[in-house]
Amino acid sequence: MSDIRRRLPPTKTSSEEKALPPVQDDHTAKVVKDVRVTEIPEKPKTRKRRTTAIFLLGSLFGIIAAGFFAKSSDLIDLPELGEFSVNSLLDALPAGLIADMRDFVKGERDFVDSYEAFAVGLQARAEGLEAHHPMIMVPGVISTGLESWGTTNISRPYFRKRLWGSWSMMQALVLDKDNWKRHIMLDKQTGLDPPDIKLRAAQGFDATDFFITGYWIWNKIFENLASIGYDPTNSFTAAYDWRLSYPNLEVRDQYFTRLKSYVETAHELSGKKVVLVSHSMGGQVVFYFFHWVASAMGGRGGNDWVERHVEAWINVSGCMLGAVKDLTAVLSGEMRDTAQLNTFAVYGLEKFLSKEERAELFRAMPGISSMLPLGGNAVWGNGTWAPDDRPGQNFTYGNLLNFRQGMNWTLPERNLTAEDAIEYLFNTTEPWYQDQVKRSYSQGVAHTQAEVDANEQDARKWMNPLETRLPLAPNLKIYCFYGVGKPTERSYFYRQPEFQPFTNLNITIDTALTEGDVDHGVVMGEGDGTVNLLSTGYMCNYGWHVKRYNPAGSKITVVEMPHEPDRFNPRGGPKTADHVDILGRQNLNELILRVAAGKGDTISDHVVSNIREYAEKVKIYEEEDSPGGMGNMHP
């Protein structure tokens, strides 16, 4: 089968190497009619440095890896960690790593100081906007802190301390790694709490405003909502334990029952329907909730529940069709962030959490596997084609996992498409992992109305918008706000691991390969730096215009936000479109306030990427159409 392997692309000239098509030079704030854009005054700029995004999947080594990308080692004080002193941390970590971690913290503090708080909200209030709809925020995978509530001997030192999303996490990871792993991993057989361990999602606004001291997540949105009249009486954060599979969120924590109650109570007390705001994985959680709440197998609210209670769903950076990097995380514990580290950084990271350990951790968090790529080859392409292949490109993104020829390695016989790669994942991982994922999720496509209707009775399908429909809510408004223009990992080259007898991994990213479009074994495509454009944009621009996926005709509004970062700002500044940092973007906050204040009808579509061109090439059609076209359903 070697004839179907593709060869390495030749090295391109500088004129050919264009990671992304040009983006129109047009400020996205124009989508809001009659709204003035107030520039946030700049304060002295912080020094330039490189930093990696906190890993999409709640990567348990995100902060460590971020430190490796810093370029300065200026010494500053680290926050105290209880009895854990800075000196003991210095003893435990390589000197270069701790210096870079200090630099990371300093950069974050400088950014917080330089970003004027409340500016967007105060401007909106001056223009007459005020709180109208109750607001419920559903965070993404890294946003919610997890704290220990166990009282056994192994848990008492961490009682009510956050073992994810705080400096307590760093303390436990560095000085008590094995015990930390016991706490953070779910039981492999049940997908619930291991014996004698009890970790729960922190609650309230404190659960999601900051990841660690200085690294804000939702804080900018909270500040601006407060400026037009929001507080804990008319806004709420629906935090959840993102490690759990979606069915187990209800089994263990009754999460969806509580969310239903929050929505109903807010609606009853205010007399106004609720606005749901989700970020990243939170978009899948909200979509699953819409099915659960209506179903007789779930909340028993009936098909009109969403129509009666929900005014709008703001879907920010929603990974509606999963993320390519999720596949590599659970397959080999790797992604671009780790593949492109330098030699010293790789050594330091492997000393803390090896690839094998990371893969085990990710697999023991079934919630993360909800973001495996959805839609198979129809969406992501095959061995000769992908919808987002660019003109003149001498390879295809359709091969998600690639293998070099002639290396005398024991590897799959051919390159692997999305469907092949997921099949390979299930064929090479432990039975407990396969069971957890297969009984919780489905990655397929429903090509007929009859399939969509039948899937309402199959809870595994509820998180997949290509197998189930939007709620029967004709007055529901859906706003898709996401970033574009930031290179995002799209496919990979893999090889046989070194020292294979000493690892359980079958393959690992070929980090030695840098040639043409391949950088340390990673091939980049389009997206927001974390989630691919096909995932954030396909359903919003096209899929939900196919009748079987949106039978009630809910209105979809799309605003794409070009990535225009301030190069001297560690978080990109008010025009960033990075997957996480977009939550602090100026005009995203303006748009959220517009919807909250009941002025969402003033927002118009603004699409600057090629997503609609790509969407037309996806092999999903209206039922009466031939594969040659999509009829007249394009918006």
Short mmCIF file of all heavy atoms in Angstrom, two decimals, residues 315-355:
data_model
loop_
_atom_site.label_atom_id
_atom_site.label_comp_id
_atom_site.label_asym_id
_atom_site.label_seq_id
_atom_site.Cartn_x
_atom_site.Cartn_y
_atom_site.Cartn_z
N ASN A 315 -21.88 31.92 21.12
CA ASN A 315 -20.93 30.81 20.99
C ASN A 315 -19.56 31.40 20.64
O ASN A 315 -19.28 31.71 19.49
CB ASN A 315 -21.44 29.86 19.90
CG ASN A 315 -20.53 28.66 19.70
OD1 ASN A 315 -19.67 28.37 20.52
ND2 ASN A 315 -20.73 27.98 18.58
N VAL A 316 -18.70 31.55 21.63
CA VAL A 316 -17.38 32.17 21.45
C VAL A 316 -16.33 31.08 21.25
O VAL A 316 -16.17 30.20 22.10
CB VAL A 316 -17.00 33.05 22.66
CG1 VAL A 316 -15.62 33.69 22.45
CG2 VAL A 316 -18.05 34.11 22.91
N SER A 317 -15.65 31.12 20.12
CA SER A 317 -14.56 30.17 19.83
C SER A 317 -15.02 28.72 20.01
O SER A 317 -14.26 27.89 20.52
CB SER A 317 -13.34 30.45 20.71
OG SER A 317 -12.87 31.76 20.56
N GLY A 318 -16.22 28.43 19.61
CA GLY A 318 -16.78 27.11 19.85
C GLY A 318 -16.13 26.04 18.98
O GLY A 318 -16.08 26.17 17.76
N CYS A 319 -15.66 24.98 19.62
CA CYS A 319 -15.04 23.87 18.86
C CYS A 319 -16.14 22.87 18.52
O CYS A 319 -16.14 21.73 18.99
CB CYS A 319 -13.92 23.22 19.66
SG CYS A 319 -14.35 22.77 21.35
N MET A 320 -17.07 23.30 17.67
CA MET A 320 -18.26 22.51 17.41
C MET A 320 -17.96 21.20 16.68
O MET A 320 -18.70 20.23 16.82
CB MET A 320 -19.28 23.33 16.60
CG MET A 320 -19.73 24.62 17.28
SD MET A 320 -20.21 24.40 19.02
CE MET A 320 -21.53 23.22 18.88
N LEU A 321 -16.88 21.15 15.91
CA LEU A 321 -16.50 19.91 15.23
C LEU A 321 -15.19 19.36 15.78
O LEU A 321 -14.45 18.66 15.09
CB LEU A 321 -16.40 20.13 13.72
CG LEU A 321 -17.68 20.60 13.03
CD1 LEU A 321 -17.50 20.67 11.52
CD2 LEU A 321 -18.86 19.69 13.38
N GLY A 322 -14.89 19.68 17.03
CA GLY A 322 -13.70 19.15 17.67
C GLY A 322 -12.45 19.91 17.31
O GLY A 322 -12.49 21.00 16.73
N ALA A 323 -11.30 19.33 17.63
CA ALA A 323 -10.01 19.97 17.37
C ALA A 323 -9.00 18.89 17.02
O ALA A 323 -8.92 17.86 17.68
CB ALA A 323 -9.54 20.77 18.58
N VAL A 324 -8.21 19.15 15.98
CA VAL A 324 -7.21 18.17 15.55
C VAL A 324 -6.22 17.87 16.67
O VAL A 324 -5.82 16.73 16.87
CB VAL A 324 -6.49 18.69 14.29
CG1 VAL A 324 -5.30 17.81 13.95
CG2 VAL A 324 -7.46 18.75 13.11
N LYS A 325 -5.85 18.88 17.44
CA LYS A 325 -4.83 18.67 18.47
C LYS A 325 -5.34 17.79 19.61
O LYS A 325 -4.54 17.21 20.34
CB LYS A 325 -4.32 20.01 19.00
CG LYS A 325 -5.31 20.80 19.81
CD LYS A 325 -4.80 22.22 20.11
CE LYS A 325 -3.51 22.24 20.86
NZ LYS A 325 -3.04 23.62 21.14
N ASP A 326 -6.65 17.65 19.74
CA ASP A 326 -7.19 16.73 20.74
C ASP A 326 -6.78 15.30 20.42
O ASP A 326 -6.48 14.51 21.32
CB ASP A 326 -8.71 16.85 20.78
CG ASP A 326 -9.33 16.05 21.90
OD1 ASP A 326 -9.47 16.60 23.00
OD2 ASP A 326 -9.67 14.88 21.67
N LEU A 327 -6.77 14.97 19.14
CA LEU A 327 -6.40 13.62 18.71
C LEU A 327 -4.97 13.29 19.13
O LEU A 327 -4.70 12.22 19.69
CB LEU A 327 -6.56 13.50 17.20
CG LEU A 327 -6.08 12.20 16.56
CD1 LEU A 327 -6.89 11.02 17.06
CD2 LEU A 327 -6.15 12.30 15.04
N THR A 328 -4.04 14.19 18.87
CA THR A 328 -2.64 13.90 19.20
C THR A 328 -2.40 13.90 20.70
O THR A 328 -1.52 13.19 21.20
CB THR A 328 -1.71 14.91 18.52
OG1 THR A 328 -2.00 16.23 18.98
CG2 THR A 328 -1.87 14.85 17.01
N ALA A 329 -3.20 14.69 21.43
CA ALA A 329 -3.03 14.72 22.88
C ALA A 329 -3.34 13.37 23.50
O ALA A 329 -2.60 12.88 24.35
CB ALA A 329 -3.93 15.80 23.48
N VAL A 330 -4.45 12.75 23.09
CA VAL A 330 -4.81 11.45 23.67
C VAL A 330 -4.05 10.30 23.02
O VAL A 330 -3.89 9.24 23.62
CB VAL A 330 -6.33 11.21 23.60
CG1 VAL A 330 -7.07 12.22 24.45
CG2 VAL A 330 -6.85 11.24 22.17
N LEU A 331 -3.56 10.52 21.79
CA LEU A 331 -2.82 9.47 21.10
C LEU A 331 -1.40 9.32 21.64
O LEU A 331 -0.95 8.20 21.92
CB LEU A 331 -2.77 9.77 19.60
CG LEU A 331 -2.05 8.77 18.71
CD1 LEU A 331 -2.75 7.41 18.74
CD2 LEU A 331 -1.98 9.29 17.27
N SER A 332 -0.70 10.44 21.82
CA SER A 332 0.70 10.36 22.24
C SER A 332 1.10 11.41 23.27
O SER A 332 2.29 11.59 23.55
CB SER A 332 1.62 10.49 21.02
OG SER A 332 1.43 11.74 20.37
N GLY A 333 0.12 12.13 23.84
CA GLY A 333 0.45 13.13 24.85
C GLY A 333 1.17 14.33 24.30
O GLY A 333 1.87 15.03 25.03
N GLU A 334 0.97 14.62 23.01
CA GLU A 334 1.72 15.70 22.35
C GLU A 334 0.79 16.62 21.59
O GLU A 334 -0.35 16.30 21.28
CB GLU A 334 2.72 15.10 21.36
CG GLU A 334 3.75 14.17 21.97
CD GLU A 334 4.55 13.48 20.91
OE1 GLU A 334 4.02 12.56 20.25
OE2 GLU A 334 5.72 13.88 20.71
N MET A 335 1.34 17.79 21.25
CA MET A 335 0.70 18.75 20.38
C MET A 335 1.79 19.72 19.95
O MET A 335 2.97 19.55 20.29
CB MET A 335 -0.46 19.46 21.07
CG MET A 335 -0.12 20.13 22.37
SD MET A 335 -1.57 20.63 23.32
CE MET A 335 -2.09 19.06 24.01
N ARG A 336 1.44 20.73 19.20
CA ARG A 336 2.46 21.67 18.71
C ARG A 336 3.27 22.27 19.86
O ARG A 336 4.49 22.44 19.75
CB ARG A 336 1.79 22.77 17.91
CG ARG A 336 2.76 23.82 17.38
CD ARG A 336 2.03 25.06 16.93
NE ARG A 336 2.95 26.08 16.46
CZ ARG A 336 2.59 27.36 16.28
NH1 ARG A 336 1.36 27.74 16.56
NH2 ARG A 336 3.47 28.24 15.85
N ASP A 337 2.61 22.62 20.94
CA ASP A 337 3.27 23.27 22.06
C ASP A 337 4.45 22.45 22.57
O ASP A 337 5.47 23.00 22.98
CB ASP A 337 2.28 23.51 23.20
CG ASP A 337 1.04 24.24 22.73
OD1 ASP A 337 0.17 23.57 22.15
OD2 ASP A 337 0.95 25.45 22.93
N THR A 338 4.29 21.13 22.60
CA THR A 338 5.38 20.29 23.08
C THR A 338 6.33 19.92 21.95
O THR A 338 7.54 19.82 22.16
CB THR A 338 4.83 19.00 23.71
OG1 THR A 338 4.05 18.29 22.74
CG2 THR A 338 3.95 19.33 24.90
N ALA A 339 5.82 19.72 20.74
CA ALA A 339 6.66 19.28 19.62
C ALA A 339 7.72 20.31 19.27
O ALA A 339 8.83 19.96 18.87
CB ALA A 339 5.79 18.99 18.40
N GLN A 340 7.42 21.59 19.44
CA GLN A 340 8.33 22.64 19.00
C GLN A 340 9.18 23.21 20.13
O GLN A 340 9.84 24.23 19.95
CB GLN A 340 7.54 23.75 18.30
CG GLN A 340 6.86 23.25 17.02
CD GLN A 340 6.12 24.33 16.28
OE1 GLN A 340 6.01 25.46 16.74
NE2 GLN A 340 5.61 24.00 15.11
N LEU A 341 9.19 22.56 21.28
CA LEU A 341 10.08 22.98 22.35
C LEU A 341 11.53 22.67 21.98
O LEU A 341 11.81 21.75 21.23
CB LEU A 341 9.73 22.25 23.65
CG LEU A 341 8.40 22.61 24.30
CD1 LEU A 341 8.15 21.68 25.48
CD2 LEU A 341 8.36 24.05 24.76
N ASN A 342 12.45 23.46 22.53
CA ASN A 342 13.86 23.17 22.28
C ASN A 342 14.31 21.98 23.12
O ASN A 342 13.57 21.47 23.97
CB ASN A 342 14.73 24.41 22.56
CG ASN A 342 14.61 24.89 23.99
OD1 ASN A 342 14.65 24.08 24.92
ND2 ASN A 342 14.47 26.19 24.18
N THR A 343 15.54 21.54 22.89
CA THR A 343 16.03 20.31 23.52
C THR A 343 15.99 20.39 25.03
O THR A 343 15.54 19.45 25.71
CB THR A 343 17.46 20.01 23.05
OG1 THR A 343 17.46 19.92 21.62
CG2 THR A 343 17.97 18.71 23.64
N PHE A 344 16.44 21.51 25.59
CA PHE A 344 16.44 21.63 27.05
C PHE A 344 15.02 21.62 27.59
O PHE A 344 14.73 21.01 28.63
CB PHE A 344 17.14 22.93 27.47
CG PHE A 344 17.06 23.18 28.95
CD1 PHE A 344 17.87 22.48 29.84
CD2 PHE A 344 16.17 24.12 29.45
CE1 PHE A 344 17.78 22.71 31.20
CE2 PHE A 344 16.10 24.35 30.81
CZ PHE A 344 16.91 23.64 31.69
N ALA A 345 14.12 22.30 26.88
CA ALA A 345 12.73 22.35 27.33
C ALA A 345 12.10 20.96 27.30
O ALA A 345 11.37 20.58 28.22
CB ALA A 345 11.93 23.31 26.45
N VAL A 346 12.39 20.20 26.24
CA VAL A 346 11.86 18.84 26.16
C VAL A 346 12.37 18.01 27.33
O VAL A 346 11.61 17.27 27.96
CB VAL A 346 12.27 18.19 24.82
CG1 VAL A 346 11.95 16.70 24.83
CG2 VAL A 346 11.56 18.87 23.66
N TYR A 347 13.65 18.17 27.64
CA TYR A 347 14.21 17.43 28.77
C TYR A 347 13.48 17.79 30.07
O TYR A 347 13.08 16.91 30.84
CB TYR A 347 15.70 17.73 28.90
CG TYR A 347 16.33 17.14 30.15
CD1 TYR A 347 16.69 15.80 30.21
CD2 TYR A 347 16.53 17.94 31.29
CE1 TYR A 347 17.26 15.26 31.35
CE2 TYR A 347 17.09 17.42 32.43
CZ TYR A 347 17.46 16.07 32.46
OH TYR A 347 18.00 15.54 33.61
N GLY A 348 13.30 19.08 30.30
CA GLY A 348 12.62 19.50 31.53
C GLY A 348 11.20 19.01 31.60
O GLY A 348 10.74 18.53 32.64
N LEU A 349 10.48 19.12 30.48
CA LEU A 349 9.08 18.68 30.46
C LEU A 349 8.98 17.18 30.68
O LEU A 349 8.13 16.70 31.44
CB LEU A 349 8.44 19.07 29.13
CG LEU A 349 6.96 18.73 28.97
CD1 LEU A 349 6.12 19.34 30.08
CD2 LEU A 349 6.47 19.20 27.61
N GLU A 350 9.84 16.42 30.01
CA GLU A 350 9.80 14.97 30.15
C GLU A 350 10.13 14.54 31.58
O GLU A 350 9.65 13.52 32.06
CB GLU A 350 10.76 14.31 29.17
CG GLU A 350 10.34 14.43 27.71
CD GLU A 350 9.05 13.70 27.42
OE1 GLU A 350 8.88 12.56 27.87
OE2 GLU A 350 8.18 14.30 26.74
N LYS A 351 10.98 15.32 32.27
CA LYS A 351 11.30 14.99 33.66
C LYS A 351 10.08 15.15 34.55
O LYS A 351 9.93 14.43 35.54
CB LYS A 351 12.44 15.90 34.16
CG LYS A 351 13.78 15.63 33.52
CD LYS A 351 14.39 14.32 33.97
CE LYS A 351 14.92 14.39 35.39
NZ LYS A 351 15.63 13.16 35.79
N PHE A 352 9.22 16.10 34.22
CA PHE A 352 8.02 16.30 35.04
C PHE A 352 6.90 15.38 34.62
O PHE A 352 6.34 14.65 35.44
CB PHE A 352 7.57 17.77 34.94
CG PHE A 352 8.35 18.68 35.82
CD1 PHE A 352 9.36 19.47 35.30
CD2 PHE A 352 8.11 18.73 37.18
CE1 PHE A 352 10.09 20.30 36.12
CE2 PHE A 352 8.84 19.56 38.01
CZ PHE A 352 9.84 20.35 37.47
N LEU A 353 6.55 15.43 33.33
CA LEU A 353 5.46 14.61 32.81
C LEU A 353 5.87 14.11 31.44
O LEU A 353 5.89 14.88 30.47
CB LEU A 353 4.16 15.41 32.71
CG LEU A 353 3.42 15.73 34.01
CD1 LEU A 353 2.30 16.72 33.73
CD2 LEU A 353 2.85 14.47 34.64
N SER A 354 6.18 12.87 31.33
CA SER A 354 6.59 12.30 30.05
C SER A 354 5.41 12.22 29.09
O SER A 354 4.25 12.33 29.51
CB SER A 354 7.17 10.90 30.26
OG SER A 354 6.14 10.01 30.68
N LYS A 355 5.71 12.01 27.81
CA LYS A 355 4.63 11.85 26.83
C LYS A 355 3.67 10.74 27.24
O LYS A 355 2.46 10.86 27.10
CB LYS A 355 5.23 11.54 25.45
CG LYS A 355 5.96 12.69 24.80
CD LYS A 355 6.33 12.39 23.36
CE LYS A 355 7.46 11.40 23.25
NZ LYS A 355 8.76 11.98 23.60
#
